[in-house]
Amino acid sequence: MNRIEEQARYYRNIPLRNRSIKAVVHLEDAEDMLFWNPQLQNAFPATYHFITFSKNEKGNDVRGCEQCLRYKPYLSKRFFICIDSDLRQLKGEEGLTAESLIAQTYAYSWENHFCEAEHLQERFGKLVPNSDFNFQVFLQKLSAVVYKPLLYLVHYSQSSVLNQQWNITRFNSCLPLQPSRDKLADNGSAYIERVKLLFEAALQNLQQPENMANEHLDDVNAYLHIQGHQLYKLVLHIGTMLCKGTRVAFKTDILEKSIHTDGYQEIDSVQADLRKITSKE
């Protein structure tokens, strides 16, 4: 028995030894509890024991999605994993399903969910009602611009050779994270135009894939598949500028104030998976 299987057996047995614990849940990192615990409590209120790192075959403490996925053959109702989708869902990686006891974010990462456009604007509008900036309009404009570059990214991530030509680092370089206040007029039109030009320049020498359609991606939800901490940093920077002088702390009062558990497709999918995983056999 290898070290991963040994740990999985130990984790599976924790709820048997302590009946107050419904299940052991392996996350990518400790901060992920901020998202996953409220999601689990909504799907099936109970006590969950979270594992935020574990040992690899060499006996070293390891975090992250790859470590979580090492447990894939050994999962059960008493021990399952919750991971960021990254680009895995868009790339069609198989086996990342509730039936396999794996929950995923259905956005690049859980940080994207804090930036979901409709609910973010709703929270912002309540506390800063006189602002001339609308996050929903801004993020939908941004989504339309990043849609095609994301389709390229999914295609070019399929092989190491293609990935050298277009990758997440080059994608992120086209998305400045600290636009100046004057770039935010007209819901960030000047900033959006700059981003559009940067992406056009970056893609102009790349060969367009023959079939770029992706069943999980469109020009409306594309912004939720930008690398999570990048989108979060951009939204945080903009919101902090907009709240200057208002006595509203954008990060705590708006951005991280509420973790939604319904109301848009991606979070509804998260909840559907968690209900399947936590339901009685």
Side-chain angles (χ1 to χ4, degrees):
M1 186 184 301
N2 63 43
R3 190 183 296 270
I4 297 296
E5 188 175 358
E6 285 178 0
Q7 290 176 105
R9 178 177 290 186
Y10 174 78
Y11 298 146
R12 287 199 306 267
N13 287 336
I14 289 177
L16 297 179
R17 294 195 300 270
N18 185 345
R19 295 290 181 174
S20 68
I21 295 173
K22 176 170 175 57
V24 172
V25 186
H26 201 316
L27 306 178
E28 294 186 24
D29 207 339
E31 61 182 7
D32 295 22
M33 284 188 283
L34 179 66
F35 174 78
W36 285 110
N37 191 45
Q39 297 302 322
L40 281 160
Q41 295 304 329
N42 186 73
F44 193 110
T47 299
Y48 297 91
H49 181 70
F50 292 103
I51 303 294
T52 58
F53 65 91
S54 55
K55 295 189 182 297
N56 63 11
E57 288 294 353
K58 295 180 180 179
N60 299 320
D61 291 342
V62 180
R63 294 170 172 78
C65 188
E66 292 301 328
Q67 178 68 3
C68 289
L69 289 172
R70 289 190 176 99
Y71 290 95
K72 192 175 175 182
Y74 313 114
L75 301 176
S76 73
K77 291 277 189 175
R78 299 194 308 272
F79 170 52
F80 56 90
I81 63 175
C82 296
I83 61 172
D84 289 337
S85 295
D86 296 336
L87 293 177
R88 290 180 174 86
Q89 181 203 15
L90 300 184
K91 289 163 65 175
E93 186 168 324
E94 296 181 353
L96 304 184
T97 64
E99 288 74 19
S100 299
L101 291 311
I102 298 172
Q104 62 174 309
T105 52
Y106 290 94
Y108 191 98
S109 69
W110 57 267
E111 288 99 331
N112 298 75
H113 287 286
F114 284 117
C115 305
E116 189 272 326
E118 182 178 353
H119 290 92
L120 174 62
Q121 176 56 32
E122 190 177 281
R123 300 194 300 274
F124 178 68
K126 285 179 181 178
L127 292 186
V128 193
N130 297 321
S131 177
D132 59 357
F133 188 89
N134 186 302
F135 275 102
Q136 188 168 6
V137 173
F138 170 76
L139 288 170
Q140 286 307 313
K141 286 181 179 180
L142 181 64
S143 195
V145 169
V146 301
Y147 173 54
K148 182 178 176 181
L150 274 170
L151 288 173
Y152 271 69
L153 187 61
V154 173
H155 174 78
Y156 276 78
S157 64
Q158 302 290 352
S159 78
S160 57
V161 175
L162 287 174
N163 196 235
Q164 291 176 7
Q165 300 175 47
W166 186 238
N167 50 50
I168 196 74
T169 300
R170 295 188 177 189
F171 179 98
N172 287 342
S173 69
C174 297
L175 200 65
L177 300 181
Q178 295 187 320
S180 57
R181 187 68 176 86
D182 63 295
K183 293 288 194 298
L184 300 185
D186 188 25
N187 296 309
S189 290
Y191 172 78
I192 296 293
E193 185 60 26
R194 184 187 175 201
V195 171
K196 181 181 178 183
L197 293 174
L198 286 170
F199 275 119
E200 287 177 351
L203 296 180
Q204 65 179 353
N205 294 322
L206 297 180
Q207 184 175 351
Q208 181 170 316
E210 289 184 10
N211 182 16
M212 289 203 304
N214 190 296
E215 62 176 319
H216 303 295
L217 191 66
D218 56 42
D219 61 357
V220 175
N221 72 3
Y223 75 101
L224 290 173
H225 296 276
I226 296 170
Q227 197 169 39
H229 61 262
Q230 296 293 107
L231 180 64
Y232 180 95
K233 287 178 184 176
L234 173 62
V235 169
L236 176 60
H237 174 77
I238 292 172
T240 301
M241 281 198 299
L242 295 173
C243 288
K244 190 173 183 180
T246 65
R247 294 188 176 182
V248 174
F250 181 78
K251 184 177 188 288
T252 54
D253 294 340
I254 297 174
L255 186 55
E256 294 184 358
K257 184 65 174 179
S258 179
I259 299 175
H260 295 277
T261 53
D262 62 22
Y264 56 101
Q265 182 178 335
E266 290 76 14
I267 206 68
D268 291 342
S269 295
V270 170
Q271 282 294 309
D273 282 356
L274 291 178
R275 285 194 294 269
K276 282 183 185 176
I277 293 171
T278 56
S279 64
K280 293 182 179 179
E281 294 178 317

